Amino acid sequence: MYLCAGRGVTDVPTEQQWKERSAKCSPDWPHWYLRLCGRVEEQLNSNHPMTACGDHLAELKALAGELGIPFECYDHRTPDEIQRAASAIERVVKRMAGTKTKSDAYALA
């Protein structure tokens, strides 16, 4: 057993994006879209992570220490860096609207 944690920011999609993303998911479960500070989802052996509002990494690390279990954090960016990157991507997508795919815009940002 181990405790794997990471930070992120809420990603608020447009109504169309919400419909496209949610079409791939079960309507029986609530959905919350995030931009993560690292690739923590690649380290989890679950598709049901817990989320909490706020930055609780220090408390989670202390909890893992008290429980005697390993603590792992895979953040390589800060929430501010994620927000700046998301804004840059959206600007590129708007400029490229109608000319290329959104994945091309992500590659350019």
Side-chain angles (χ1 to χ4, degrees):
M1 180 187 325
Y2 65 97
L3 196 155
C4 182
R7 296 172 297 169
V9 295
T10 298
D11 180 18
V12 182
T14 65
E15 185 174 346
Q16 182 61 32
Q17 290 169 327
W18 185 274
K19 288 178 183 177
E20 290 170 4
R21 292 176 186 179
S22 298
K24 302 172 190 172
C25 305
S26 170
D28 298 329
W29 298 98
H31 298 92
W32 183 8
Y33 296 103
L34 303 172
R35 292 181 188 266
L36 300 174
C37 296
R39 300 304 301 206
V40 67
E41 71 276 14
E42 294 175 358
Q43 307 303 320
L44 299 175
N45 191 18
S46 172
N47 65 347
H48 294 74
M50 300 294 292
T51 58
C53 293
D55 188 345
H56 303 285
L57 285 180
E59 292 88 347
L60 290 170
K61 185 175 183 179
L63 174 64
E66 289 293 319
L67 295 173
I69 60 174
F71 175 79
E72 299 175 5
C73 179
Y74 298 95
D75 288 1
H76 64 272
R77 297 184 295 178
T78 66
D80 287 339
E81 289 171 327
I82 290 175
Q83 292 287 46
R84 286 193 302 271
S87 296
I89 289 169
E90 290 305 316
R91 285 192 302 272
V92 170
V93 168
K94 286 178 184 176
R95 283 194 306 247
M96 295 180 68
T99 58
K100 294 197 181 233
T101 66
K102 192 170 186 175
S103 61
D104 291 336
Y106 279 91
L108 293 174

